Amino acid sequence: MLTERAIEKYILEKEPYYLPVGNEIELFTAAYQAKLPVMLKGPTGCGKTRFVEHMAWRFKRPLVTVACHEDLSATDLVGRYLLEGEETVWHDGPLTLAVKHGAMCYLDEVVEARKDTLVLIHPLTDDRRILPVEKRRVVLEAPDEFQFVISYNPGYQSVLKDLKQSTRQRFVAIEFDYPPFDIEVAIVAHEGQVDESTARDLVTIGQKVRNLRGHGLEEGVSTRLLVYAAQLIRGGISPVSACTVAIVNPITDDRDLQRSIQEIVTTVI
Amino acid sequence: MLTERAIEKYILEKEPYYLPVGNEIELFTAAYQAKLPVMLKGPTGCGKTRFVEHMAWRFKRPLVTVACHEDLSATDLVGRYLLEGEETVWHDGPLTLAVKHGAMCYLDEVVEARKDTLVLIHPLTDDRRILPVEKRRVVLEAPDEFQFVISYNPGYQSVLKDLKQSTRQRFVAIEFDYPPFDIEVAIVAHEGQVDESTARDLVTIGQKVRNLRGHGLEEGVSTRLLVYAAQLIRGGISPVSACTVAIVNPITDDRDLQRSIQEIVTTVI
Amino acid sequence: MLTERAIEKYILEKEPYYLPVGNEIELFTAAYQAKLPVMLKGPTGCGKTRFVEHMAWRFKRPLVTVACHEDLSATDLVGRYLLEGEETVWHDGPLTLAVKHGAMCYLDEVVEARKDTLVLIHPLTDDRRILPVEKRRVVLEAPDEFQFVISYNPGYQSVLKDLKQSTRQRFVAIEFDYPPFDIEVAIVAHEGQVDESTARDLVTIGQKVRNLRGHGLEEGVSTRLLVYAAQLIRGGISPVSACTVAIVNPITDDRDLQRSIQEIVTTVI
Amino acid sequence: MLTERAIEKYILEKEPYYLPVGNEIELFTAAYQAKLPVMLKGPTGCGKTRFVEHMAWRFKRPLVTVACHEDLSATDLVGRYLLEGEETVWHDGPLTLAVKHGAMCYLDEVVEARKDTLVLIHPLTDDRRILPVEKRRVVLEAPDEFQFVISYNPGYQSVLKDLKQSTRQRFVAIEFDYPPFDIEVAIVAHEGQVDESTARDLVTIGQKVRNLRGHGLEEGVSTRLLVYAAQLIRGGISPVSACTVAIVNPITDDRDLQRSIQEIVTTVI
Amino acid sequence: MLTERAIEKYILEKEPYYLPVGNEIELFTAAYQAKLPVMLKGPTGCGKTRFVEHMAWRFKRPLVTVACHEDLSATDLVGRYLLEGEETVWHDGPLTLAVKHGAMCYLDEVVEARKDTLVLIHPLTDDRRILPVEKRRVVLEAPDEFQFVISYNPGYQSVLKDLKQSTRQRFVAIEFDYPPFDIEVAIVAHEGQVDESTARDLVTIGQKVRNLRGHGLEEGVSTRLLVYAAQLIRGGISPVSACTVAIVNPITDDRDLQRSIQEIVTTVI
Amino acid sequence: MLTERAIEKYILEKEPYYLPVGNEIELFTAAYQAKLPVMLKGPTGCGKTRFVEHMAWRFKRPLVTVACHEDLSATDLVGRYLLEGEETVWHDGPLTLAVKHGAMCYLDEVVEARKDTLVLIHPLTDDRRILPVEKRRVVLEAPDEFQFVISYNPGYQSVLKDLKQSTRQRFVAIEFDYPPFDIEVAIVAHEGQVDESTARDLVTIGQKVRNLRGHGLEEGVSTRLLVYAAQLIRGGISPVSACTVAIVNPITDDRDLQRSIQEIVTTVI
């Protein structure tokens, strides 16, 4: 009755579009070869997930992504027994699946997960590289190709959601930020399918909005939202309307901030 | 023993009454065509739900609505196994149902939901447009017609219930407010089945009451309550009594505020 | 093995004793005819529950009453599967029962319920008038006779237990207070089976005690407690003793307030 | 496999020793005859439980006692289905048992129970006198002999554990305190099996210790502890040692207060 | 498949080593004969558990010990149904086991247990001496030999973990402290198998360390830790090293306090 | 269907690389011979886990390691019944497994575990050395070879996560810190496979960074991270880049601290 989720489904078929910003590809490759777990730090929507997809494609590894949340437990990651007919049948969780097949395992926004999840990964992220599956009484050893990646947004973590030192100090950490101007223009033009001039305007708006950080704005506008605006413009919406619904409205509820951003939009366009 | 809830039941049969206020129909249509998820922001009872119904009818898509609440979990949305006789049988949750059938999925008051719900929708609301159903070991890809909509009332969100930037920056956001005077008069007359003069009085009261926001009133009176008052008047209740039970009493327990609103009522009528 | 709780059991056989105070019967009737949900606001023991019983009797509708509490969940209201022998069997919850049979459904002290309950009733209390029963994959449409009533005591709600505007603005709200002197005397005499002079004394005490509200007393003495005192007097207890155990002792633990109320008692009797 | 707990087991066979202090027996009798629920207010160990046992014996009613605690749920009181072999079998909870057999039902320290318990008893404690057993789809009507009693210690209730007015105003409330000197001497002599002179000393100590309330002592020493001291003295322990372990040590951990109480002991004995 | 845990396993076979400090044996014996429950108050590791073992051996009663913790529920103590094959089978909890066999039941660190546990023991600790086993519908009467003992460390209880007066006033309370010098020397020499001179040094250190209480040290060093130090010395570790790992390091993380204690060690040895 | 996890799998096959710093091997050996439980105190990544592995290898004991977390319950440690086909089958938890086979049981970061876990180990860590397995009604006696070890990082424990005195005073405590310069150089060179000069630079950086503790840095850089940096350098990454991603980025999100650490790096290299 169940459709078995074969690990092949996790292999990316075509190259994910990714423009490198610095030496992140070299660093990730060295960590992969030294079998060190990697932590990606940076704001929302700046390309961390795309980078992981790109690296998985490069190494021809299946990519198992887990969006972490407050109720994500160790059991969700490792697996559980489910009743099927009259028998309980074991179902591998995504982490077990990834370890078994030497996949790349990516825990997105890892601080959102429950603490037991974070401790669970300890034996997998030091030189032991093992995953104890208590409920099946087995200890899985990760093959050399297995790569563990987590992402983490240091910008808006509360004290309660900070990563513990005993977790942090198990990772090589690569820092991300919004791409530099020319690269972001190329991304917006490519993904939003607009001409370079429109992309240029949108990235100019994006950079000016990001300067409002520290002046009431929690976080800057992501590359993704700039792409959204481009897509709406391409769909026939006027540039100002597109920027309003894709940039001004989503990132804040504060009327004054909205007005400031709206002014940036009308100044640029 | 179970009545299967066929997806056809979710198709709206007749056009929901909706008067457009600005370019919201064009914006929503462009987002739909660019396959971008949409967030509707605005106060309670200003027409967000009706607008979604209207758009679902326009695109001839089934509409799957979920009223979010504090105990709404990812499992509630995705589905679960239930024991039937001697076998456990999988039951699709509303989100899975909507993805499978390319429906419009509307999460009403999304901030009320548990955090795991909000993270669950991440892979569905970026360019991957996938829904991992962990318990069935399948990953569903949303068809092009699938449209994801959430609503959000920025007026009375506490800090605890704010949307995270990593969630917000996945949506095109259209802002709603109470309709302009003439449109609201038309709505109240149509839905309350009263003459235009009575509708005009009720909307006048509505607008004056909304001016009390910031003077102790948490939120203005909704179009819905104005329609209630109209319906009671049509049912033979005196206009003042109708306004008392449909406007004054529901929106506040504060005696002073109640008196101020009552005065507005008696001044207008 | 189970006694089926037929809906007929919920039909009131004899007219519940109720003395109207204002136009509450007309207002409720108009709301019933316009199919609008009703909220009753007022202090404990002032007759809200009796009024609902009376209206159910008038409209010849079964009355399904639910006393809300902190653990009352959506599941409790809608229904659940229970194991019977080797099969799981669906049991309708009280709300489902009421919707199916077009009954009057009364949620007493609705703010006590969990938040998911309050959101659950949203689609039932706007013009959709539907109840989605997720676990059975059906959507019930309420028949025209279905009437939804909630009660709410604004006197001692904490901020945490306030009703949300998105819930409030779905109801026509009728306000209740303790009955006027002559009506309360009639009630106490009728229900306590004492002569009018004794009833008059007790209501006089009741009204004086209610004046202590705002002077340390959280809430006034209810009509019910006055009836209790009358019943004890009729049972042979001296009026002062009866008032002590039925009025002074129940409503407060504060020694000073108890003394003040005791003085009121001895002054009147 | 189970020993059925017949209701006869709850009938008290011999008269529980109880010395009345005031008109509490008359008041309780009148409430019983008028079918009013009763609340007993007073400090720990002053005889509330014994009084209820005495009244149950007087009316020849079975007595079903429930010691309330934070995890006592409505389900615990009403009953639940349990798996027996291949069938689920219903087990009446103590409240259901008491209602069915017209017993006296005594909820000891009712404020300790969860809020759902307190709301559950509402329909049983107004003129409806019914107990809805949702899970069995039946509504039990209490026979005339059914008597509902709760106890409540106003001395150390925190704000969080106060009884709600909507619960309080359903009860006739009889207040208890430690017995007057001569009566307590008789009790201690009778229960501790010591001579009157020893009992007199112990009660003298008890009364002096109770005067320390408000001077750091949370609650006075109970009659029960005085009986304990008497029993130890009768068992051959010296009076001072007996008072130390039965009075000084149990009621406080505060060294200074212990010294003060010890001084009272040595002064009297 | 299960090994039945016969009550005989709980009978102590050889006399537990215990040196009496005062009249605690007489007091406990008198309480046992008068069937009064006993509370032992005192700091960690001062001999409370050993004393209970000794008394159980004296009275030839099986000893059922329960280490209380935050998740210890009433069910854990009383028992539960467990699925075995196709039938649910009842398993007595330790308290039920002890009541049935007239054992000595010892709840260690009782304040750690959940509140329902503390209320559960109320009917067992007053003159009723009964244990209602709700789930089996039986009420067990404790035989005369049944003895109930709890321990309690008043030193570091927070307000949240204080014992309620209604619980406290059910017990005879015997207070414990660290043994006097000569007795503790004898204990350390006997249990640590060192000569008297070494034991004397260790107890001297222990007493000096205990004087630091109130100067930053939460609790003094226990007799048990002095025995540990003796055992390490006997195992060939130098006295200073033994004291460092058995005394200085375990009792505090504070560097300054550690230095002070280390100085005490080097001064004495 | 299950792969039985034989205890032999827990025996370490080759000697774990460990350079002793002081007399920790002698102390642990003496504790092992005296059957005393051991607590290892020290910062993250300083070699505690490796030390335990080394000792287990020395004594030829299987090593059962448990990474503690907030949801680790007593049941997880002791074992549980799981449904297999039609029968429930008992599965030993890691603690039960270790006790049965006289293994070394290591609870890593024990303060993270739930309180019931900490109390559970009490009878195993005093002279009783027993593990009650309540659910199987057996009491296991630990064989002489059984050794219990916990680790504890006093550096960043909050008040809420401190170990209770009644737990602490059951352990001999060995304190750990980062290794002295020459030993750490040897470790980094050996594990990172770099020449001594590079290792020397990295340890110099490590020691300077550790001096920032108390100047905003929560915890120093671990030996593990220095090894990571060495491994990246060996993999072809420039020393500065390697230090950035292996030292600067992981240990802090603070931009100023990151700059200070970066300066240390560039000064040394």
Side-chain angles (χ1 to χ4, degrees), chain C residues 162-217:
Chain C
D162 200 7
L163 274 186
K164 298 196 305 174
Q165 285 291 335
S166 61
T167 301
R168 285 166 165 278
Q169 300 213 5
R170 291 164 181 281
F171 290 90
V172 165
I174 305 176
E175 298 215 337
F176 278 73
D177 206 342
Y178 303 112
F181 190 81
D182 286 345
I183 292 180
E184 196 168 25
V185 168
I187 293 170
V188 171
H190 176 270
E191 304 252 312
Q193 287 178 279
V194 290
D195 58 52
E196 202 198 292
S197 154
T198 305
R200 206 167 269 281
D201 282 358
L202 290 170
V203 175
T204 304
I205 290 168
Q207 291 201 335
K208 283 178 188 288
V209 170
R210 287 166 194 158
N211 289 335
L212 293 177
R213 275 188 293 178
H215 298 81
L217 201 61

Side-chain angles (χ1 to χ4, degrees), chain E residues 37-250:
Chain E
V38 172
M39 178 201 298
L40 307 181
K41 295 168 67 174
T44 195
C46 71
K48 300 188 298 290
T49 297
R50 187 64 67 86
F51 173 65
V52 177
E53 291 173 349
H54 185 79
M55 296 311 292
W57 177 83
R58 272 190 175 241
F59 301 139
K60 310 291 176 232
R61 305 309 318 146
L63 173 63
V64 178
T65 300
V66 180
C68 297
H69 53 78
E70 278 185 2
D71 296 302
L72 188 84
S73 67
T75 298
D76 293 325
L77 283 179
V78 173
R80 53 165 57 86
Y81 283 100
L82 287 176
L83 200 67
E84 284 184 13
E86 301 188 10
E87 188 106 18
T88 48
V89 177
W90 174 262
H91 286 224
D92 280 340
L95 186 55
T96 305
L97 197 74
V99 169
K100 273 185 177 168
H101 296 88
M104 189 171 289
C105 184
Y106 176 43
L107 300 195
D108 193 10
E109 301 204 45
V110 72
V111 283
E112 297 296 327
R114 297 201 323 194
K115 290 287 166 60
D116 61 342
T117 310
L118 297 176
V119 169
L120 171 83
I121 62 179
H122 281 195
L124 198 55
T125 53
D126 55 29
D127 59 306
R128 291 176 286 172
R129 283 174 67 90
I130 56 171
L131 177 68
V133 184
E134 299 290 355
K135 282 184 182 137
R136 301 208 76 191
R137 291 178 286 187
V138 294
V139 176
L140 297 177
E141 285 176 44
D144 286 0
E145 307 84 41
F146 174 76
Q147 173 69 30
F148 195 70
V149 188
I150 65 175
S151 77
Y152 169 68
N153 183 346
Y156 62 84
Q157 305 313 330
S158 66
V159 176
L160 276 169
K161 290 231 159 153
D162 200 7
L163 274 185
K164 299 197 304 174
Q165 285 290 336
S166 60
T167 300
R168 284 166 166 279
Q169 301 214 3
R170 289 163 182 282
F171 290 89
V172 165
I174 306 176
E175 298 214 340
F176 278 73
D177 206 342
Y178 304 111
F181 189 82
D182 285 345
I183 291 180
E184 195 167 26
V185 169
I187 294 170
V188 171
H190 176 271
E191 305 252 312
Q193 288 179 277
V194 290
D195 57 52
E196 202 199 290
S197 153
T198 303
R200 204 166 271 281
D201 282 356
L202 289 169
V203 175
T204 304
I205 290 167
Q207 291 201 336
K208 284 179 188 288
V209 171
R210 287 165 195 159
N211 289 336
L212 292 177
R213 276 189 292 180
H215 297 82
L217 201 61
E218 191 185 352
E219 191 156 331
V221 61
S222 64
T223 308
R224 179 187 294 127
L225 285 184
L226 301 182
V227 172
Y228 278 14
Q231 288 174 325
L232 290 178
I233 291 168
R234 184 170 173 82
I237 299 297
S238 78
V240 169
S241 269
C243 289
T244 302
V245 298
I247 300 175
V248 180
N249 291 348

Side-chain angles (χ1 to χ4, degrees), chain B residues 147-191:
Chain B
Q147 173 67 32
F148 195 69
V149 189
I150 64 174
S151 77
Y152 170 66
N153 183 346
Y156 62 87
Q157 305 312 330
S158 66
V159 175
L160 275 170
K161 290 232 160 152
D162 201 7
L163 274 186
K164 298 196 306 174
Q165 285 292 334
S166 61
T167 301
R168 285 166 165 279
Q169 300 213 4
R170 290 164 182 281
F171 290 89
V172 164
I174 306 176
E175 297 215 338
F176 279 72
D177 206 341
Y178 304 111
F181 189 83
D182 286 345
I183 291 180
E184 196 167 25
V185 168
I187 294 170
V188 171
H190 176 270
E191 304 253 312

Side-chain angles (χ1 to χ4, degrees), chain C residues 71-114:
Chain C
D71 296 302
L72 188 84
S73 67
T75 298
D76 293 326
L77 283 180
V78 173
R80 54 165 56 85
Y81 284 100
L82 288 175
L83 199 68
E84 284 184 13
E86 301 187 9
E87 188 105 19
T88 49
V89 177
W90 174 260
H91 286 223
D92 280 339
L95 186 55
T96 305
L97 197 73
V99 169
K100 274 186 178 169
H101 296 88
M104 190 172 287
C105 184
Y106 177 44
L107 300 196
D108 193 11
E109 301 203 45
V110 71
V111 283
E112 297 295 329
R114 297 200 321 193

Side-chain angles (χ1 to χ4, degrees), chain C residues 2 5 83 222 245 249-250 253, chain D residues 81 88 137 152 168-169 173:
Chain C
L2 294 178
R5 190 169 67 176
L83 199 68
S222 64
V245 297
N249 290 350
D253 298 334
Chain D
Y81 283 100
T88 49
R137 292 177 284 188
Y152 170 66
R168 285 167 165 278
Q169 299 214 5

